[in-house]
Amino acid sequence: MNAPSAPAPNPAASLDWPLAWWSGALQLQSWQVDAWMDAQRTWSAAVQECWDLWVCHWGGGAPIDV
């Protein structure tokens, strides 16, 4: 009687978990960049609003920025 043979090695299967980990890490980084850009847009709009108010009050008129 012959001994049972071991299954053939599958190198692609050994790369499944690192691939899943790195794709998750890249997705997390993408979310972080999106959150950072949203915060930057918020701050930019707040600074622009303050500048517009200052110009209207002290600068002699409404800014022309359409």
Side-chain angles (χ1 to χ4, degrees):
M1 184 164 186
N2 292 337
S5 62
N10 183 0
S14 65
L15 297 177
D16 286 345
W17 74 265
L19 179 62
W21 190 90
W22 279 108
S23 63
L26 290 175
Q27 181 66 40
L28 176 61
Q29 187 177 32
S30 174
W31 291 338
Q32 288 174 327
V33 169
D34 290 343
W36 177 257
M37 294 305 294
D38 288 342
Q40 291 299 309
R41 279 189 287 274
T42 301
W43 280 107
S44 176
V47 168
Q48 185 65 47
E49 180 66 20
C50 290
W51 176 249
D52 290 345
L53 291 172
W54 186 90
V55 168
C56 286
H57 192 299
W58 300 103
I64 303 174
D65 60 347
V66 177

